[in-house]
Amino acid sequence: MVLKKAKVKVKGSAMLSLLLLMTTVTACTNSDNSNAVSNAGNSPSASTSTGESPAATPGNSVPSGPEGKYDPPIEVTTVRSLNQAAELAPGETYDENIWTKTFESDLGIKVKNTWKVNAEQYQNKIAVTMASGDMPDFMNVDAQQFQILVQAGTIADLTDVYAKYASDLTKSSFEGSNSLRLKAATVDGKIMGIPADGGEAADTQLIYIRKDWLNNLGLQPPKTMDDVINIAMAFTKNDPDKNGKNDTYGLSLDNNLFNGWSGLDGFFNGYHAYPFNPTKGTGTSLNFIKGADGKVQWADVQPEVKTALGKLADLFKQGAIYPEFSVIDGNKSAELVTSGKVGITFGAFWVPTWPINNMYKDVPGADWGIYPLVSSDDQPALSQSMGGLPSHYFVVSKKSKHPEAPFLLLNTYIEKIYGHFDKNYHTVTVDGKDYGEFGLAPINGGLPGNNPRAAAAVQAAKKSGDTSALNDEQKNYYDQVAKFEAGDATMWAANKLWSEGGVFSLLGQYVDNKQVFTSAYVGNPTPTMIAKGPSLRDEEVKMLTSIIMGSKPLDYFDEWAANWLASGGQSILDEVNASGMVQ
Amino acid sequence: MSRRNWRLELPLHLMLVPGIIIVLLFSYGPMVGIVIAFENFIPVKGIFHSKWVGLDHFRYIYNLSETRVVLRNTVFIAFMKIIGGLFAPLVTALLLNEIRKKFYKRSVQTIIYMPHFMSWVIMAGILIDVLSPTSGIVNQFIEWLGFDKVFFLGDDKWFPYVLAVTDVLKEFGFGTVVYLAAITAVNPSLYEAAVLDGANRWKQTLHVTIPAIIPITILLTTLALGNVLNAGFDQVFNLYNPSVYSTGDILDTYVYRIGLASAQYGVATAVGLFKSVISLVLIALSYFLAYRFANYRIF
């Protein structure tokens, strides 16, 4: 996968330039036309959306708020990225499915896909679409393309239509957790896009520890970071798997350094340090903290990072970290863990579903305990989250006659999936096989906090024995947990997700107890981040790797931090401080 | 050219037309995109409306602290691969040629040819295990011989050589087939004459086989020179890691990492252009050399 993308990236530039060339030529010749169209298109849209002239002829109607139906029906265009791995239910296609039919019958909106491509080609195809100026009414773009489109001025200002057409539930999905999602989509006071994700601290980290190993050695779950280190040492030296061989490691790590699987994010958080810059990341999504003087500082150069780094170097020296971690990637570190060589990993909520999902079933006696992050002192540890900012947006073309239509679609989506959960729109079962339906919807959103709420509901029903309050989605999880309790080992991961003390309960606790760290900077990557970020990232991962492995002394950290400031870091800080996007 | 000839050749010229159109469309057309290297390219604005920045991208690349290191790595690694890729197949082909048992010869040929078809993703997975200091078979052998273990993929002193050796291991079977074909084409009467003159197998190889395949050897080597800036993206990308960036990072992987983050089309195109210019010079040079020493010519 990675390789494939890489090839496209490097070798595709010639191809891309050809495509761009061809499309620009057409775009140039068309530009006069399209301006005329857009002007013509704008005036009727103003009248339809404000609803000043409703029911000009009997039977004609347009929605004047979050609900309502177009009669005669309207058509809106979009483009789709296809998930090749997902099988579709018989009779369902990306062009016609339960969603499009509902939109047509309930809202009078016919959604037409101008084009569909595989997910891998989607980004490139969007770039071409952007270049050609031939945009569909609405489309899904990533954060960077969003920024480019805002600058180019080709997407519509949604401030008014949002206020008028978004349902209360839709609005709550954007305005929860400090309106972070809405803020990210707002440029110069105008809402320019509909965030497709973000707003949820779903990437906070937990500690996963081999419970059977703890029991073998008579150890207690960790309360402090010192406990974590002691457990890691005991797992390394005291033969936790009782096979008589010194073949185990304490802490899982691979060369990506920061990750939802065997990353160090949670370890650093325990020392109140919040660095984030994965080896394979973009180098532009960085954490910032607000200093005492109100100015932001970069999280990665703080002294707490150095403290934690010292502990890691010590763990490595004592053999608690796989000596070749710098060479292996996440798949290899997963192999080490699943083959019973490693006992602790920090990771995101999905770790029970991959890679440790089959261990309970396949490895006799193996079981994992899940614990919230612990702190090195009496201050509670905050778990860092990058998930607050959306990575994708739906944008609406300036030429669209119905800029409100995407909101009406989204209202329906959120209602069916989160408001009054209707299983038919989520998953259908045909001949005993489950097919996902939610992925077919041309627009989508999320209700932050949905999973922790579901976990709480499942646990409440478990206690009371009363499942009547559960919706279909929650009932599904309830059944999975019940199956596990009845001895079905394949449901181990589901049990870890939904049952008491499971990952979603812990994630909910982080939010409830305000134990989530998010960057003080909520804006998009600044110009210097884009220009210098990747090479600064390389310097940082080299520094981290060499200090952990002991090939550089711990004090090299200070030299690196000074160097960072001198080679672009200061301009990044200046840009961030001047951005007005600091919260 | 006489009229008659022209009429006879007309169908042939017509047959060329589709090919020429395709070349114009897919090879010459995209060259216009080279201007992206000189502008601050924004897809929405297109090639003609993006801001012109002149040589800024080239200056940016030149000023990046890593560029010179990366360039040196690229040339060094590619050069080692060219040398290794010359001798390993040549020697193997000469040795295989001496084997009389056909079945054995064919088996060896097939087995060494096989890795050529494996992707580097798979090869990298295997190599990481095989070269591992804790459990890898290579290091166990090294230890058995009484030497210290070597962290092949994590030590920046070893990494470029590991790249060269593994690349040769993967590809020498393919080269061997080419040289074997060349050896088969040698006129048997030359060997008969050599035997009459009292030449043993070694002398036959030295005075008949090797001189006969020297042209193809020179040809392949000089043409490989054009690839001196292509040190193998797939291989390096799958094997390298931050601790060996200093010696293992090549131009392609570097640009990938730098450009990946931010869709810096301008910078990527500038690097591509730079590579193309160097390759053009080298290919012209190697063509001249091939012409000079192997009498190889296209036109």
Side-chain angles (χ1 to χ4, degrees):
Chain A
M1 250 296 276
V2 174
L3 175 79
K4 208 169 172 187
K5 271 191 194 155
K7 267 175 141 173
V8 169
K9 197 83 187 180
V10 173
K11 295 183 181 164
S13 57
M15 197 62 194
L16 186 69
S17 40
L18 168 70
L19 287 171
L20 292 170
L21 171 75
M22 287 162 63
T23 46
T24 346
V25 171
T26 39
C28 288
T29 52
N30 278 347
S31 60
D32 286 6
N33 277 342
S34 50
N35 279 342
V37 170
S38 80
N39 286 339
N42 275 344
S43 34
S45 84
S47 62
T48 42
S49 59
T50 49
E52 277 165 18
S53 55
T57 48
N60 277 17
S61 70
V62 290
S64 57
E67 282 167 34
K69 187 178 174 181
Y70 291 95
D71 186 24
I74 61 162
E75 184 180 274
V76 295
T77 52
T78 187
V79 295
R80 299 299 303 272
S81 135
L82 308 184
N83 178 0
Q84 288 290 304
E87 264 187 86
L88 304 187
E92 298 280 273
T93 68
Y94 278 87
D95 294 319
E96 273 202 36
N97 52 61
I98 185 166
W99 289 102
T100 59
K101 284 172 195 156
T102 308
F103 292 149
E104 214 175 330
S105 64
D106 292 3
L107 303 174
I109 300 175
K110 187 164 170 36
V111 181
K112 194 180 148 212
N113 299 326
T114 316
W115 48 258
K116 307 181 287 270
V117 291
N118 292 339
E120 304 93 73
Q121 292 151 18
Y122 184 76
Q123 294 305 323
N124 276 344
K125 182 95 182 175
I126 283 282
V128 174
T129 302
M130 282 160 57
S132 74
D134 186 19
M135 274 172 51
D137 286 330
F138 71 96
M139 63 181 187
N140 187 332
V141 298
D142 68 23
Q144 189 162 15
Q145 291 163 339
F146 173 66
Q147 222 179 349
I148 292 171
L149 286 166
V150 170
Q151 280 167 12
T154 50
I155 54 175
D157 171 7
L158 302 172
T159 317
D160 297 336
V161 286
Y162 172 76
K164 191 161 173 199
Y165 292 96
S167 68
D168 289 345
L169 196 58
T170 305
K171 280 182 181 156
S172 77
S173 80
F174 294 127
E175 290 167 12
S177 62
N178 213 5
S179 286
L180 197 57
R181 297 179 80 193
L182 205 57
K183 274 184 198 159
T186 308
V187 183
D188 297 333
K190 294 179 204 152
I191 299 173
M192 298 305 291
I194 309 171
D197 51 9
E200 183 160 32
D203 56 344
T204 45
Q205 294 230 333
L206 302 154
I207 315 178
Y208 293 83
I209 304 181
R210 278 288 290 266
K211 215 181 192 170
D212 49 324
W213 287 12
L214 282 180
N215 294 340
N216 282 350
L217 301 179
L219 294 166
Q220 291 303 310
K223 295 268 181 300
T224 64
M225 281 311 287
D226 285 343
D227 291 349
V228 172
I229 286 172
N230 290 336
I231 293 169
M233 289 314 305
F235 280 1
T236 310
K237 305 234 154 119
N238 301 352
D239 191 20
D241 55 355
K242 302 280 174 218
N243 68 351
K245 285 188 220 143
N246 181 16
D247 60 350
T248 50
Y249 303 98
L251 182 65
S252 179
L253 184 60
D254 55 58
N255 65 13
N256 208 16
L257 301 178
F258 301 94
N259 205 351
W261 160 250
S262 74
L264 291 173
D265 323 29
F267 188 91
F268 280 112
N269 293 168
Y271 293 90
H272 312 298
Y274 309 98
F276 183 79
N277 216 353
T279 307
K280 288 167 190 155
T282 60
T284 56
S285 58
L286 310 172
N287 276 336
F288 294 90
I289 55 175
K290 216 185 231 172
D293 56 353
K295 294 251 189 246
V296 291
Q297 296 173 342
W298 190 35
D300 298 38
V301 290
Q302 303 306 313
E304 290 86 357
V305 178
K306 190 178 172 185
T307 312
L309 208 48
K311 304 279 179 189
L312 283 167
D314 199 42
L315 277 175
F316 183 88
K317 203 171 154 194
Q318 312 254 13
I321 295 174
Y322 185 58
E324 294 157 48
F325 82 88
S326 65
V327 170
I328 61 173
D329 63 6
N331 287 317
K332 285 268 177 194
S333 66
E335 267 172 41
L336 275 178
V337 171
T338 51
S339 60
K341 294 271 177 282
V342 186
I344 306 176
T345 177
F346 288 84
F349 76 88
W350 44 261
V351 167
T353 66
W354 186 89
I356 62 174
N357 48 329
N358 288 327
M359 286 186 78
Y360 181 79
K361 177 163 64 83
D362 296 343
V363 185
D367 196 5
W368 288 82
I370 304 172
Y371 309 98
L373 293 187
V374 291
S375 165
S376 58
D377 52 27
D378 52 355
Q379 297 295 313
L382 308 186
S383 180
Q384 71 188 43
S385 167
M386 306 296 289
L389 289 176
S391 66
H392 283 80
Y393 299 84
F394 287 97
V395 292
V396 179
S397 165
K398 227 176 196 165
K399 297 174 199 164
S400 172
K401 289 181 194 160
H402 295 283
E404 74 284 2
F407 281 107
L408 296 166
L409 301 178
L410 186 60
N411 290 344
T412 306
Y413 180 89
I414 294 212
E415 174 62 21
K416 299 283 186 205
I417 298 289
Y418 301 108
H420 294 89
F421 182 78
D422 186 338
K423 191 168 186 298
N424 292 327
Y425 291 87
H426 188 274
T427 313
V428 291
T429 310
V430 180
D431 297 332
K433 199 169 167 186
D434 285 343
Y435 298 94
E437 286 285 353
F438 57 92
L440 292 174
I443 197 163
N444 57 61
L447 199 59
N450 185 56
N451 285 331
R453 266 196 302 282
V458 167
Q459 288 154 31
K462 202 96 234 151
K463 278 200 189 94
S464 64
D466 174 17
T467 61
S468 59
L470 299 179
N471 65 28
D472 282 3
E473 183 195 8
Q474 294 161 350
K475 180 72 173 47
N476 191 16
Y477 303 145
Y478 177 90
D479 292 344
Q480 289 174 344
V481 174
K483 271 189 204 158
F484 174 76
E485 281 168 1
D488 184 352
T490 59
M491 288 294 155
W492 179 83
N495 182 59
K496 287 289 178 200
L497 295 184
W498 305 109
S499 67
E500 198 169 350
V503 291
F504 285 127
S505 295
L506 296 175
L507 252 50
Q509 272 174 36
Y510 283 151
V511 175
D512 295 343
N513 302 340
K514 305 231 178 302
Q515 278 177 272
V516 180
F517 169 89
T518 51
S519 174
Y521 176 62
V522 293
N524 289 305
T526 66
T528 312
M529 275 192 223
I530 289 172
K532 301 268 172 69
S535 47
L536 291 173
R537 169 206 59 205
D538 287 353
E539 287 304 314
E540 183 176 1
V541 295
K542 275 194 263 182
M543 177 275 296
L544 292 170
T545 308
S546 54
I547 289 182
I548 295 174
M549 295 183 76
S551 56
K552 289 252 168 67
L554 185 57
D555 285 335
Y556 176 63
F557 178 85
D558 301 320
E559 192 185 315
W560 163 80
N563 205 15
W564 179 82
L565 216 54
S567 51
Q570 189 59 51
S571 3
I572 290 179
L573 289 178
D574 293 345
E575 284 167 353
V576 168
N577 275 313
S579 68
M581 297 297 278
V582 175
Q583 63 169 21
Chain B
M1 194 189 298
S2 72
R3 254 192 124 70
R4 210 180 98 80
N5 271 349
W6 171 244
R7 209 173 318 155
L8 277 175
E9 286 174 7
L10 185 63
L12 300 177
H13 285 282
L14 284 178
M15 279 197 271
L16 262 179
V17 169
I20 290 176
I21 290 178
I22 287 175
V23 168
L24 285 178
L25 199 60
F26 291 107
S27 299
Y28 282 81
M31 281 188 201
V32 181
I34 287 172
V35 296
I36 292 175
F38 304 98
E39 54 188 27
N40 191 7
F41 181 69
I42 294 172
V44 204
K45 294 189 177 162
I47 292 178
F48 301 107
H49 297 99
S50 292
K51 200 176 146 220
W52 187 264
V53 294
L55 292 174
D56 273 11
H57 293 315
F58 293 92
R59 249 174 248 131
Y60 169 75
I61 299 164
Y62 184 78
N63 288 331
L64 280 173
S65 52
E66 299 289 307
T67 305
R68 260 152 285 181
V69 177
V70 165
L71 210 57
R72 200 189 57 216
N73 292 344
T74 312
V75 174
F76 182 58
I77 292 167
F79 199 67
M80 278 197 298
K81 283 181 178 176
I82 290 172
I83 302 288
L86 164 69
F87 287 107
L90 188 62
V91 172
T92 319
L94 288 173
L95 291 175
L96 274 181
N97 188 45
E98 298 304 315
I99 289 167
R100 292 283 142 237
K101 284 243 187 326
K102 224 174 187 150
F103 172 75
Y104 182 68
K105 186 173 157 184
R106 287 283 149 81
S107 317
V108 171
Q109 212 177 311
T110 312
I111 290 169
I112 62 174
Y113 191 26
M114 212 92 89
H116 173 73
F117 294 101
M118 264 193 256
S119 78
W120 272 112
V121 183
I122 298 168
M123 285 293 283
I126 297 170
L127 285 171
I128 288 170
D129 283 341
V130 168
L131 297 177
S132 155
T134 30
S135 54
I137 186 161
V138 173
N139 270 305
Q140 282 175 8
F141 184 68
I142 291 175
E143 204 175 31
W144 180 76
L145 289 177
F147 295 100
D148 283 340
K149 286 179 173 182
V150 181
F151 194 178
F152 288 107
L153 296 174
D155 187 332
D156 56 2
K157 285 184 211 67
W158 284 89
F159 191 71
Y161 305 103
V162 172
L163 287 178
V165 170
T166 54
D167 182 72
V168 169
L169 272 179
K170 183 170 179 300
E171 301 298 337
F172 85 108
F174 184 75
T176 303
V177 173
V178 176
Y179 287 113
L180 274 178
I183 291 172
T184 329
V186 178
N187 191 342
S189 60
L190 292 176
Y191 291 109
E192 285 162 23
V195 172
L196 280 183
D197 287 343
N200 57 18
R201 304 273 332 163
W202 171 239
K203 292 280 179 192
Q204 283 177 38
T205 308
L206 211 58
H207 296 291
V208 180
T209 319
I210 290 183
I213 60 171
I214 271 185
I216 185 114
T217 313
I218 293 176
L219 175 67
L220 287 176
T221 311
T222 48
L223 289 184
L225 274 180
N227 277 331
V228 91
L229 287 187
N230 290 326
F233 174 82
D234 293 358
Q235 181 196 17
V236 179
F237 186 75
N238 282 293
L239 285 173
Y240 81 157
N241 57 70
S243 21
V244 295
Y245 280 172
S246 54
T247 58
D249 205 8
I250 59 168
L251 209 51
D252 289 340
T253 50
Y254 184 57
V255 170
Y256 172 73
R257 280 206 322 281
I258 299 299
L260 169 80
S262 35
Q264 296 194 60
Y265 298 107
V267 174
T269 315
V271 173
L273 183 60
F274 171 72
K275 270 181 68 178
S276 302
V277 169
I278 300 286
S279 296
L280 181 72
V281 171
L282 288 171
I283 286 172
L285 183 71
S286 56
Y287 180 70
F288 170 75
L289 291 175
Y291 175 60
R292 219 23 226 286
F293 296 108
N295 206 23
Y296 170 84
R297 55 177 103 186
I298 305 168
F299 304 110

